[in-house]
Amino acid sequence: MAGNTETDMLKIKNLHASVEGKEILKGINLEVNPGEVHAIMGPNGSGKSTLASVIAGNEDFEVTDGTIELEGEELNELAPEERAHQGVFLSFQYPVEIPGVTVTNFMKTAINETRKARGLEEMPANEMLKKIREKSELLEIDRKFLSRSLNEGFSGGEKKRNEIFQMAMMEPKLAILDETDSGLDIDALKVVANGVNRLKTPQNATIVITHYQRLLDYIVPDHVHVLLNGKIVKSGGKELALELEEKGYDWIKQEAAV
Amino acid sequence: MAYTEEELKKELETKEYEYGFYTDIESDTFPVGLNEDIVRAISKKKEEPEWMTDWRLEAFRVWKEMEEPEWANVKYKKPDFQAISYYSAPSKKPKYDSLDEVDPELLDTFKKLGISLDEQKKLAGVAVDVVMDSVSVATTFKKTLAEKGIIFCSISEAIREYPELVKKYIGTVVPRKDNFYAALNSAVFSDGSFCYIPKGVRCPMELSTYFRINQAGTGQFERTLVIADEGSYVSYLEGCTAPMRDENQLHAAVVELIALDDAEIKYSTVQNWFPGDKEGKGGVFNFVTKRGICETNAKISWTQVETGSAVTWKYPSCVLKGDNSIGEFYSIAVTNNYQQADTGTKMIHLGRNTKSTIISKGISAGKSQNSYRGLVQINGRAENARNFSQCDSLLMGNECGAHTFPYIEAKNKTAQIEHEATTSKIGEDQIFYCNQRGIDTEKAIALIVNGFSKEVLNKLPMEFAVEAQKLLEISLEGSVG
């Protein structure tokens, strides 16, 4: 492996992906290093959520060209659960409901399946309990909430908070937050952002996908990328997000068209 | 791996039926065919008193005049009732005083069933009566139960030893002419279980019966009679398996429950008869009549997990005769491949302040058809009767069907009847969500199905619940189990 790729957490090269024959991603290049927070912004329909789904391995999308590597290992051929076992976590924009399966039971299954795939024993019950207690406190989650059916009847804010709780439990290397701010009021947004910040370590990385700059006031990115029509057309520091907030996307569209 | 319809189909292909072994035990089997002589011969073989022989013959005469019902939402080739042998018993049969005397092959069968009697004996708390083919071969724990005055034995033994009890109650809840299969059963039933709980006694252990069809070309017609005397309580478990065979096997049982004043009966079934192969060949025809009667303040709960049989026709019901009596029906019915199930319940409210609850969970996969059929009937005298029904269907894939046929008849204005129904599909988005959390598709389906069935699984006694969960996974998945 070449020297400069060794430090990469995620390396995406010339990624093309389509759904039902329609190309959505048209050559994405992106490198994310451990300890970094990247924000991906862009107008509706630019391919942000598609990028998140493709990294997670959703096969509704067909990868027609390019590679995705996590710590130098190519992910392209791996099933979604195998990518999860490698440490990829996706916080869903629209978390699904699974009636009758409690949050606790779901997390227990997810953690133990992942441990099994990594050749580890099941997590002992007391350790699991301790972890649940710790992480639910971090995200200010009422314990009663954990015995409810997964996402069933949850408010928008509860669903998103639950996603971040799961992220805290799974301790991924790479977390992708897909529109985590949508549907959150300002207080919930602060709690979620606070949780994400506290889960940050020099060893893991986060990609924040968002439409608005608002979330980036609380989760401060090292890099901001603008996605337009399936391509990253502009990258910069956190000030780029502010500029977008102020001027909208039109000027970038014009710049990109040149 | 993505989860496409194609892959789901593969995922759901039948796992080899786990209980499909055949025990090579010499059997004493009657020639095929049915006439009065066969009925007499069965009765004679069982050393029955004359009144029982006459009772059977009357049933046979009624049956001859009846037509096989066609209203259920199932299609199958009608069995040729003259091509079936109506009696088959392990020939080295008879009474075993201890397990040492039991044919070792038979013991081996029990072990494969996961109910080795050795273990069962140690596993205090469960008394088992095993009905294999037609004869009840062993009942454990008889002594412990006898100390409390509880009678738990084969129905044949009960007819000989406790004729007055049998005579008083048999056919009172399911009359001989009730329906085609009940009439047939009444004529030819070869064995089954009998249970009597005396006044005020709480049965200290779960009573359990295992039914198994073994011999080819035989039908199984067991008859179960449970009597809970005033103020008593019993929990009864019933399990069923059959070996794999190309031809269809017929099973037509009758279960009668009698809950006298203030008594409670919990009756749980895990039915796993051979469902046929994935082309729909073979499998058991399961045509069962189960009904219980509740006197004043009595309660009957039916809980069933139905994963087997090629065709199921079954409606465990409650006649709420006494005031303040309660009837409950909790059901999970799983159909896969070419299985067909038409199952549900009847809640007949006769007494005042009677209450019934129906929770039905139907899961259909493959090319199967799964129907819920239920009747809630509130009669004129039943002041303040209440019913709550909930019927949920879960579909897997695009080729199966789920149907709900609720019938409601209310003849009293004070009745309160609620009916809720939902139909859902396991979505690709649910599977992907689980996958993303490191849970593979097979495990994800198991998780979703268990979640869907939870309200009913929770009603099963502990040891049965574990088995039932395992069965759900086996029935629906490629390799979990």
Side-chain angles (χ1 to χ4, degrees), chain A residues 186-216:
Chain A
I186 197 71
D187 292 330
L189 186 79
K190 279 182 191 165
V191 172
V192 164
N194 189 26
V196 172
N197 289 331
R198 286 166 71 176
L199 293 167
K200 220 172 99 176
T201 71
Q203 283 77 44
N204 62 25
T206 311
I207 296 176
V208 181
I209 291 175
T210 183
H211 202 79
Y212 303 105
Q213 196 272 339
R214 191 176 68 149
L215 178 64
L216 305 180

Side-chain angles (χ1 to χ4, degrees), chain B residues 56-67:
Chain B
R56 288 174 178 274
L57 285 168
E58 179 55 31
F60 176 71
R61 283 166 204 141
V62 169
W63 175 75
K64 268 201 311 193
E65 304 303 316
M66 293 175 99
E67 300 265 334

